[in-house]
Amino acid sequence: MTELSEKTVAAATVALPSTLRLGVARTRVELKQFFRSKDSMIFTFLFPVIMLMIFATVFSRQGDVGPGIPGGPISFGQYFLPGMVATGVMLTSFQSLAIQIPVERDDGALKRLRGTPMPSASYFLGKVGQVLVASVVQLALLFVVARVLFAIPLPTAPGAWLTFLWVFLLGTACGSVLGVAFSSIPSSGRSASAVVVPVVLVLQFISGVYFMYSDLPTWLQRVAEVFPLKWMAQGMRSVFFPDAFKAIEVRDSWEHPMTAVVLAAWLVLGLVVGIRTFRWTRRGDN
Amino acid sequence: MTGAAVVVRGLHKHYGETRAVDGLDLQVESGEVFAVLGPNGAGKTTTVEILEGHRHRDSGEVSVLGVDPARADRNWRSRIGIVLQDAGDQAELTVSEVIRHFAEYYPTPRDADEVIDAVGLTEKAGTRTRQLSGGQRRRLDVALGIVGRPELLFLDEPTTGFDPEARRAFWELIRGLRKDGTTILLTTHYLDEAENLADRVAVIRDGRVLALDTPKNLGGRAASEATVRWIEDGTHRELATSAPTRVVSELTARLAGPSGEVSGLEVIRPSLEDVYLTLIGEPLPVAATKEDLS
Ligand SMILES: Nc1ncnc2c1ncn2[C@@H]1O[C@H](COP(=O)(O)OP(=O)(O)OP(=O)(O)O)[C@@H](O)[C@H]1O
Ligand SMILES: [Mg+2]
């Protein structure tokens, strides 16, 4: 150990770094940590790609979907793609934050950050940055695999991509704030995945990600309609299916306005709950 | 800067029935190294974390760098450095990445490489923190505490897990920081650490200060009686005295033979550990500081 050199600086005259700059710095380290963790790589980042490959391969012999519908039929891979897009958004936003934050709270990372001049807003900007970058890369990879390996046609109309953009952004925002809000529920870092993963799994099964939503019993459809994943999946179907396929939806419509309303409502709810419940320290540790 | 860096008056913090801090008073002057000693559960961490703004207090006045830590802002946080008692975070980042990243938070940070070097982690700079040994991990905590060039540094048992060489090097680091004007408040269970580093020491127990003084004077140590031991006619003799030098010269005159030696001569003063153990109410063990006068 050597002595530290001393610059004499009047601390008061030097401004603190801006919230935005530190948000960018946080994004960088968040992404490093995300991509270096095997768990988040496999069970969050690559999960939709892996599932698409399995399903598109296994069910390719079962024939196509919607033979009587104009613009149809579509391959099973294409049928499965929007569900995997919605799942990817939910995993990368909701699941990863709802698991990561309790771990950070438990291992003292949040407490350490709290003891520095980094503003809380920068921390959350870092999380948003992580979710955005990771999900954009994740979906890009998913589209490449879909197109190249399974010859799934991707939409060409600008309108479809515009729909994709707002459903994606609203879904990511909603999933992120809900992930932050949910992060106060697991009692420890170790129990976080045990609490979060079943919630995510049940939502996937009832939201028409793996099965055709219209095949679900009506009461289960009503339950799923309360939650955002069903609406994200439906919104993504409107992007990746020919327009006439809205005939397979339960209300013969893509229901875009309703999608926007439900996602926005969860976004607001998540913000209100998240702001009130977020803690930098373990329960009973202050 | 002069004056008090930390002022604590009548601090109370209870957890249910446990009075973790129970009417504690302290004052740490700017520029000094202040050590807090006390048995497990004495309330050291609770007190320090209240000063850091991490815990709420039930009552009492607290001022840290002139600010109530319960109402601390970014500017205040940029002036303090914190090394918590336990942390195992940032596992996937390398030593150098973590230190560089944390340096970005501060207006006038220290040079990251210098800090890495100062805590002796240069060889481990590229290693993920999860692969560090316990002592290396602790050194990283110290590095993160000083990287922001704090005016006031809190260290809660900083050297737990350090090997003897690393502990000596850490002492040098702390002396260097002190020389540059950093105020340091540290807790420790190592009495030699307190004796070597601290300008003043507080012994706390059950959330209260039992004694507060320089390591030399703590618990009336300097004024207390020394014990002189020698062997006379084959038997061990000992005498408690406040004037050991006079006793020794009398013994020399009376007993020293042609060799000029008094056989078995020892002057024993209470060590900091003796004083500490007496203060916290443990029985005094035989161990003592020996000043052989042969
Ligand atoms: N979050 C908490 N909830 C309940 N009790 C607590 C909490 N933190 C501390 N205590 C209690 O308060 C007392 C003081 O604890 P503290 O951690 O301050 O001791 P300490 O002096 O730092 O001990 P050590 O030398 O072991 O680190 C203990 O009896 C402890 O059990
Ligand atoms: Mg402690």
Side-chain angles (χ1 to χ4, degrees):
Chain A
M1 302 195 195
T2 57
E3 270 190 37
L4 294 160
S5 71
E6 259 338 277
K7 288 188 280 188
T8 4
V9 263
T13 62
V14 184
L16 287 159
S18 78
T19 301
L20 189 65
R21 206 189 102 194
L22 292 184
V24 173
R26 286 298 313 164
T27 303
R28 275 203 317 272
V29 297
E30 292 284 12
L31 283 168
K32 273 183 195 162
Q33 301 190 77
F34 180 85
F35 285 110
R36 283 176 192 177
S37 146
K38 283 197 196 74
D39 288 357
S40 60
M41 269 311 270
I42 294 169
F43 297 102
T44 299
F45 183 76
L46 291 177
F47 185 83
V49 175
I50 295 169
M51 291 308 275
L52 180 75
M53 290 168 81
I54 294 172
F55 275 62
T57 310
V58 170
F59 293 100
S60 62
R61 269 181 249 121
Q62 289 207 344
D64 296 339
V65 183
I69 303 169
I74 59 175
S75 69
F76 195 86
Q78 182 174 1
Y79 176 76
F80 199 59
L81 179 63
M84 283 306 98
V85 173
T87 290
V89 169
M90 160 136 139
L91 292 179
T92 314
S93 57
F94 178 78
Q95 175 171 292
S96 62
L97 296 192
I99 293 176
Q100 249 174 35
I101 295 174
V103 171
E104 292 178 351
R105 187 179 291 124
D106 225 19
D107 70 15
L110 294 187
K111 189 169 178 179
R112 189 197 293 282
L113 289 173
R114 199 65 187 140
T116 74
M118 182 213 61
S120 358
S122 302
Y123 174 77
F124 292 110
L125 280 178
K127 289 293 185 203
V128 169
Q130 172 202 314
V131 169
L132 274 181
V133 174
S135 49
V136 165
V137 178
Q138 175 185 50
L139 294 187
L141 184 69
L142 187 64
F143 294 156
V144 168
V145 168
R147 188 79 202 85
V148 174
L149 292 187
F150 301 102
I152 297 170
L154 297 178
T156 46
W161 286 109
L162 205 65
T163 306
F164 170 80
L165 195 68
W166 73 256
V167 175
F168 168 73
L169 286 178
L170 203 52
T172 306
C174 180
S176 301
V177 298
L178 289 173
V180 173
F182 200 87
S183 75
S184 299
I185 294 177
S187 57
S188 75
R190 265 172 296 118
S191 68
S193 30
V195 177
V196 175
V197 171
V199 172
V200 171
L201 213 57
V202 169
L203 274 186
Q204 286 175 334
F205 276 104
I206 67 172
S207 298
V209 165
Y210 298 122
F211 310 119
M212 208 171 279
Y213 185 71
S214 47
D215 288 351
L216 289 174
T218 317
W219 67 269
L220 207 50
Q221 289 178 1
R222 293 293 98 79
V223 173
E225 273 167 7
V226 176
F227 298 101
L229 185 59
K230 178 246 142 96
W231 298 99
M232 262 200 286
Q234 187 168 323
M236 289 301 175
R237 284 197 291 273
S238 80
V239 173
F240 294 94
F241 289 178
D243 192 55
F245 271 67
K246 60 184 163 209
I248 65 170
E249 298 296 334
V250 284
R251 292 190 189 85
D252 295 331
S253 156
W254 298 123
E255 298 179 280
H256 280 165
M258 197 58 188
T259 303
V261 167
V262 174
L263 292 183
W266 277 99
L267 176 62
V268 172
L269 182 77
L271 271 178
V272 171
V273 174
I275 287 168
R276 278 163 189 249
T277 56
F278 189 82
R279 318 176 35 98
W280 294 90
T281 49
R282 286 176 285 251
R283 239 170 272 173
D285 195 17
N286 58 359
Chain B
M1 212 202 280
T2 50
V6 176
V7 183
V8 179
R9 295 270 170 270
L11 183 64
H12 283 267
K13 172 74 185 177
H14 301 174
Y15 292 106
E17 292 293 290
T18 312
R19 292 159 176 258
V21 183
D22 193 19
L24 185 126
D25 299 301
L26 268 193
Q27 182 153 331
V28 180
E29 303 301 330
S30 281
E32 77 173 331
V33 176
F34 191 97
V36 177
L37 304 176
N40 292 136
K44 302 181 295 297
T45 297
T46 307
T47 303
V48 170
E49 293 200 352
I50 289 171
L51 301 182
E52 293 164 349
H54 280 316
R55 301 195 196 200
H56 305 296
R57 60 183 187 266
D58 292 336
S59 63
E61 283 168 44
V62 178
S63 163
V64 176
L65 297 178
V67 173
D68 180 347
R71 280 188 284 281
D73 61 1
R74 286 185 73 191
N75 197 29
W76 181 83
R77 290 207 167 91
S78 74
R79 297 165 65 201
I80 65 165
I82 296 176
V83 176
L84 295 169
Q85 183 167 359
D86 56 342
D89 51 318
Q90 324 285 341
E92 300 296 344
L93 298 175
T94 68
V95 168
S96 156
E97 283 169 344
V98 183
I99 295 176
R100 263 167 235 288
H101 175 65
F102 274 71
E104 289 188 79
Y105 297 165
Y106 296 87
T108 56
R110 290 198 158 88
D111 179 69
D113 289 320
E114 261 184 43
V115 171
I116 293 171
D117 195 40
V119 298
L121 282 177
T122 307
E123 279 171 25
K124 293 283 170 187
T127 304
R128 301 253 180 115
T129 68
R130 73 157 71 253
Q131 287 152 8
L132 295 178
S133 74
Q136 290 166 345
R137 169 82 236 185
R138 204 66 192 128
R139 295 194 222 172
L140 174 63
D141 291 335
V142 172
L144 293 175
I146 62 174
V147 73
R149 201 184 297 275
E151 288 168 45
L152 169 62
L153 177 60
F154 293 102
L155 299 151
D156 197 355
E157 297 187 26
T159 58
T160 305
F162 278 32
D163 60 48
E165 196 188 341
R167 173 165 293 125
R168 294 294 154 117
F170 170 79
W171 293 355
E172 277 318 303
L173 176 71
I174 294 300
R175 290 190 188 111
L177 291 169
R178 181 184 181 281
K179 206 175 73 206
D180 299 327
T182 312
T183 308
I184 292 157
L185 194 164
L186 81 144
T187 76
T188 184
H189 289 298
Y190 300 101
L191 293 148
D192 57 337
E193 192 158 286
E195 183 141 39
N196 272 284
L197 287 180
D199 296 301
R200 291 192 304 146
V201 179
V203 177
I204 72 172
R205 181 185 178 162
D206 299 331
R208 246 174 291 183
V209 176
L210 295 179
L212 197 163
D213 214 323
T214 61
K216 287 257 167 303
N217 292 335
L218 192 78
R221 187 178 166 205
S224 70
E225 297 201 321
T227 303
V228 180
R229 286 187 188 157
W230 71 97
I231 299 172
E232 190 174 346
D233 304 331
T235 49
H236 290 268
R237 302 288 197 87
E238 78 173 50
L239 179 72
T241 171
S242 53
T245 314
R246 207 177 61 220
V247 172
V248 169
S249 60
E250 283 168 13
L251 285 173
T252 316
R254 192 157 57 85
L255 297 173
S259 65
E261 293 296 321
V262 176
S263 85
L265 183 65
E266 283 179 303
V267 176
I268 298 148
R269 290 186 187 277
S271 68
L272 185 57
E273 188 163 310
D274 298 330
V275 172
Y276 169 78
L277 291 173
T278 313
L279 279 170
I280 65 164
E282 298 287 334
L284 197 81
V286 230
T289 307
K290 292 180 186 174
E291 294 171 39
D292 278 37
L293 287 174
S294 48

